[in-house]
Amino acid sequence: MKRKKIPTLYLIIPCYNEEEVLPVSKDIIEDKMKTLIKNKTIKKDSKILFIDDGSKDGTWDIIKKMTKNKLYSGVKLSRNRGQQNAILAGLLVSKKHADITISIDVDLQDDINVIDDMVKEYNDGAEIVYGVRKSRKKDSFFKRFTAEIYYKLMKLMGVELVFNHSECRLLSIRAIEGLDEFDEVNLFLRGIIPQIGYKTSVAYYDRNTRLAGKTKYSVKKLLKLAFEGITSFSVRPLKMITFFGILFFFMSIGIIIFALINKMLGYAVEGWTFLMGSIWLVAGIQMLSLGIIGEYIGKIYQETKKRPRFIIEEEII
Ligand code: UDP
Ligand code: MG
């Protein structure tokens, strides 16, 4: 399905203590938007929407000044809620005004020219377009290494992620309405968005270094996000307890046989056979019981999320 109507774009940019980079990236973003409007890629009423994620520096003052120009809008969150929630706020605010949204970091590490490809994919019918990094050469070794391990771990845990996709993505209003059906408080967008469904596509771009300022992701924030990703989407850690319980149980049988043979051959010290056997057997039973409790907790956990069971794409009645 090709779309013919020119879409209204809201560019969603989360900012946390970004007074250093805002004035630098502003001109680049503004130029880009103006070119897109001039080329009739996007409609005239498109906007750049900054979300101030509870900054403690002059970020909001800068944003407020910018909104004198009709091309800009701003939303200020009451306190720092993290990039994920800042983006969500931007998406939900845009829902009433835009046809499409694209989220991008204010430091412009993600090449802003990816917008053209994203809109093209949208015009070709996609509701979600994932921005994917061509390479991570400009990221630090530590970041590349940990990211690689993280993707592998997530795959092992059965969480569906798009490789090398971060928070740069196009969402149509329809996709945002789908996202709005998810009631999660612990937000990990990269995990939820693939669950929305619809026609999706990918746009590739180069990843650069920060234009100015320092990263706003402390190691603590990064670890929290990584952990959120696993625990919000997978009950596999709980299932692993059951698995180990069963494994220990069978191992205990082996150990008991081994201990009995030792006793019969006269190698064992008095009492050793009983001790060995009971340690393994009891450990196995305990682990298995924990696993069974875990299975129930897993079910409760999934129920409490109240995630939508389906989102209807088309209805012919
Ligand atoms: N950010 C935010 N809230 C936070 C931390 C970061 O809104 O608590 C924003 C930040 O202003 C930037 C984007 O999220 O626009 C990505 O952050 P950053 O560039 O510091 O992360 P990195 O690229 O180093 O992973
Ligand atoms: Mg960055």
Side-chain angles (χ1 to χ4, degrees):
M1 181 191 65
K2 285 250 182 223
R3 295 180 223 254
K4 294 202 184 71
K5 211 181 121 221
I6 301 172
T8 299
L9 166 71
Y10 270 46
L11 201 59
I12 295 178
I13 309 179
C15 307
Y16 177 55
N17 295 343
E18 299 283 14
E19 62 182 10
E20 266 173 281
V21 81
L22 251 178
V24 189
S25 48
K26 171 191 177 277
D27 294 337
I28 303 172
I29 300 168
E30 190 175 319
D31 275 357
K32 183 74 210 173
M33 283 297 270
K34 282 185 173 155
T35 315
L36 288 168
I37 291 172
K38 210 177 83 203
N39 295 344
K40 296 205 161 58
T41 309
I42 57 173
K43 253 203 184 124
K44 255 207 324 260
D45 57 354
S46 297
K47 275 181 189 285
I48 303 165
L49 172 60
F50 288 108
I51 322 293
D52 174 21
D53 183 17
S55 299
K56 293 175 188 78
D57 64 357
T59 301
W60 181 242
D61 295 329
I62 302 174
I63 295 173
K64 232 161 77 183
K65 240 180 249 146
M66 286 196 269
T67 54
K68 293 209 175 84
N69 180 337
K70 261 180 42 195
L71 186 61
Y72 292 96
S73 292
V75 168
K76 182 182 185 337
L77 300 189
S78 60
R79 55 159 295 170
N80 184 231
R81 298 287 303 141
Q83 184 194 14
Q84 302 285 306
N85 289 301
I87 292 175
L88 182 72
L91 294 176
L92 295 182
V93 167
S94 310
K95 212 170 72 171
K96 285 176 234 116
H97 313 286
D99 299 312
I100 52 173
T101 61
I102 292 177
S103 47
I104 194 159
D105 293 347
V106 69
D107 57 10
L108 296 186
Q109 282 192 272
D110 303 328
D111 182 8
I112 193 162
N113 293 312
V114 74
I115 295 180
D116 298 71
D117 286 341
M118 286 185 156
V119 176
K120 210 183 307 140
E121 292 299 321
Y122 168 78
N123 288 334
D124 283 342
E127 303 283 347
I128 299 170
V129 185
Y130 298 102
V132 170
R133 295 167 191 175
K134 275 188 221 155
S135 89
R136 283 178 167 265
K137 276 201 205 92
K138 296 226 172 108
D139 274 345
S140 67
F141 171 77
F142 175 74
K143 194 124 197 202
R144 254 183 301 162
F145 182 67
T146 45
E148 197 81 27
I149 292 181
Y150 187 61
Y151 281 108
K152 293 233 164 80
L153 185 67
M154 290 296 265
K155 207 166 169 194
L156 206 72
M157 291 288 159
V159 186
E160 200 183 321
L161 283 189
V162 178
F163 187 66
N164 269 349
H165 158 66
S166 164
E167 298 305 334
C168 175
R169 71 177 77 84
L170 178 147
L171 290 179
S172 69
I173 287 313
R174 194 166 205 204
I176 296 176
E177 270 161 4
L179 177 67
D180 204 13
E181 303 269 320
F182 289 77
D183 280 332
E184 338 239 335
V185 181
N186 301 313
L187 199 61
F188 184 70
L189 290 171
R190 265 174 270 178
I192 300 180
I193 298 207
Q195 311 267 327
I196 299 174
Y198 295 133
K199 183 174 176 205
T200 62
S201 184
V202 172
Y204 295 93
Y205 64 84
D206 288 312
R207 170 84 168 168
N208 293 311
T209 43
R210 226 173 204 277
L211 275 186
K214 283 202 203 69
T215 177
K216 301 300 174 298
Y217 260 99
S218 56
V219 174
K220 192 176 147 205
K221 265 190 185 161
L222 210 58
L223 282 178
K224 185 168 176 273
L225 184 69
F227 203 64
E228 200 86 271
I230 295 173
T231 52
S232 297
F233 285 89
S234 177
V235 287
R236 217 165 267 187
L238 289 175
K239 285 198 186 299
M240 266 154 62
I241 303 178
T242 317
F243 171 75
F244 281 118
I246 294 170
L247 190 73
F248 272 40
F249 187 74
F250 280 111
M251 271 165 74
S252 79
I253 295 173
I255 297 269
I256 288 170
I257 294 171
F258 170 72
L260 281 176
I261 293 172
N262 262 297
K263 191 180 167 72
M264 276 190 286
L265 295 177
Y267 295 145
V269 190
E270 196 57 43
W272 180 79
T273 315
F274 179 70
L275 210 60
M276 257 339 245
S278 34
I279 287 175
W280 281 85
L281 189 65
V282 171
I285 291 171
Q286 272 183 352
M287 191 79 98
L288 191 60
S289 317
L290 274 180
I292 292 170
I293 296 174
E295 297 283 334
Y296 282 100
I297 293 183
K299 294 250 153 51
I300 296 172
Y301 155 90
Q302 276 163 343
E303 291 292 335
T304 50
K305 276 193 179 292
K306 291 207 165 50
R307 280 188 189 167
R309 274 163 294 183
F310 54 81
I311 296 170
I312 295 173
E313 176 160 357
E314 233 180 304
E315 234 180 69
I316 306 170
I317 301 177

